[in-house]
Amino acid sequence: MLMSSSDGEAKLYFGPSTFRVLRGGKFVRCAVSGEPIALEELRYWSAELQEAYASCEIATRRLLGQR
């Protein structure tokens, strides 16, 4: 079965309090773990770094410069 572009990885623009979908999809990948994050579950990102994070713990570690 072919996967449509709306079923794959999305491309987002991250703002300070919201994000904008640049290319449709169902998920983005965590910048640290590589884990897929469903768009409806995405809560943590960096507008400055334009990265998504799977959890608040991962986001905090990343923003403090830890991996």
Side-chain angles (χ1 to χ4, degrees):
M1 180 166 98
L2 292 176
M3 187 166 63
S4 77
S5 62
S6 64
D7 290 339
E9 189 168 351
K11 180 165 178 64
L12 306 180
Y13 173 81
F14 299 104
S17 61
T18 189
F19 58 82
R20 185 168 35 116
V21 178
L22 301 177
R23 182 181 65 227
K26 293 202 177 215
F27 67 93
V28 293
R29 295 210 178 266
C30 175
V32 175
S33 70
E35 167 184 348
I37 309 163
L39 294 187
E40 56 272 3
E41 295 175 12
L42 179 59
R43 302 286 181 269
Y44 308 102
W45 63 82
S46 168
E48 182 179 345
L49 299 175
Q50 290 296 296
E51 296 179 335
Y53 309 110
S55 70
C56 63
E57 292 84 4
I58 290 172
T60 301
R61 283 197 319 260
R62 173 70 169 120
L63 298 176
L64 290 175
Q66 304 167 355
R67 279 271 174 182

